[in-house]
Amino acid sequence: SSELTQDPAVSVALGQTVRITCQGDSLRSYYASWYQQKPGQAPVLVIYGKNNRPSGIPDRFSGSSSGNTASLTITGAQAEDEADYYCNSRDSSGNHRVFGTGTKVTVL
Amino acid sequence: QVQLVQSGSELKKPGASVKVSCKASGYTFTSYAMNWVRQAPGQGLEWMGWINTNTGNPTYAQGFTGRFVFSLDTSVSTAYLQISSLKAEDTAVYYCARENGDYAVGDWFDPWGQGTLVTVSS
């Protein structure tokens, strides 16, 4: 079973803000990274470390963390942000990596 | 530019073996670990493990020991995933992904290969 838990689905109105959460004990010790995956495509990194965006990722994507929860926020969601989002971090042992269960974001 | 290019789709019969390749370019291959990720049809991402591209030492996630083997050919900057005794439940897209970061900043996967669909069917 996955050690990182995400809500299965969230919806957001166009231009509004949505927060996607990732819960797990290991997040008290390790940063999460976040990946966007559109149908039929490979995942793409959107946030890593404390709150870092790779080149080419819009600044409407941001990350934060508190306790055992990491969050990805999309401020001013666009139609092209409709996708599945996965968090990833180390597991409790610190030796392995684990993906969250994934969140499907629908932009209304 | 930094990129990972994987081999093409495979159709295999149960019991057969398959070897998926992941060719890296645009960076020093042995400076970054390579990870493998599985995605079964309609399912989420599953971390399979990683290989140290400097030493060749692999680490496998629970559930990916025995039939799954990670290997390298550093002369051509390529990582391989071999799966033996294939089963129908191995049908999935397999991704390679370069690991970046360190203990202080955290780890992340970037870039990813385009994925290789392995279909196991009689």
Side-chain angles (χ1 to χ4, degrees), chain A residues 31 35 37 45 49 90 97, chain B residues 39 47 95 99 105 107 109:
Chain A
Y31 287 116
Y35 303 87
Q37 187 180 35
L45 175 71
R90 294 185 182 235
R97 314 292 185 263
Chain B
Q39 187 168 39
W47 184 74
Y95 294 100
E99 182 169 326
V105 183
D107 315 302
F109 302 138

Side-chain angles (χ1 to χ4, degrees), chain A residues 26-103:
Chain A
S26 65
L27 297 177
R28 297 183 185 277
S29 305
Y30 304 104
Y31 287 116
S33 52
W34 290 91
Y35 303 87
Q36 176 193 70
Q37 187 180 35
K38 296 180 180 180
Q41 298 183 20
V44 172
L45 175 71
V46 293
I47 290 290
Y48 66 95
K50 192 172 184 179
N51 179 19
N52 300 288
R53 282 177 290 105
S55 174
I57 300 301
D59 60 6
R60 62 179 179 270
F61 289 91
S62 63
S64 62
S65 184
S66 178
N68 72 337
T69 302
S71 301
L72 172 70
T73 301
I74 309 174
T75 304
Q78 302 299 301
E80 60 264 33
D81 300 333
E82 189 163 287
D84 294 326
Y85 290 84
Y86 296 92
C87 59
N88 180 273
S89 187
R90 294 185 182 235
D91 68 359
S92 300
S93 74
N95 296 322
H96 289 194
R97 314 292 185 263
V98 62
F99 283 97
T101 49
T103 298

Side-chain angles (χ1 to χ4, degrees), chain B residues 52-87:
Chain B
N52 184 319
T53 54
N54 206 30
T55 66
N57 183 49
T59 297
Y60 300 98
Q62 193 172 5
F64 293 101
T65 56
R67 297 189 300 115
F68 299 83
V69 176
F70 306 148
S71 61
L72 306 169
D73 184 344
T74 56
S75 69
V76 289
S77 300
T78 301
Y80 300 95
L81 164 65
Q82 183 162 0
I83 311 171
S84 58
S85 302
L86 283 163
K87 308 174 183 180

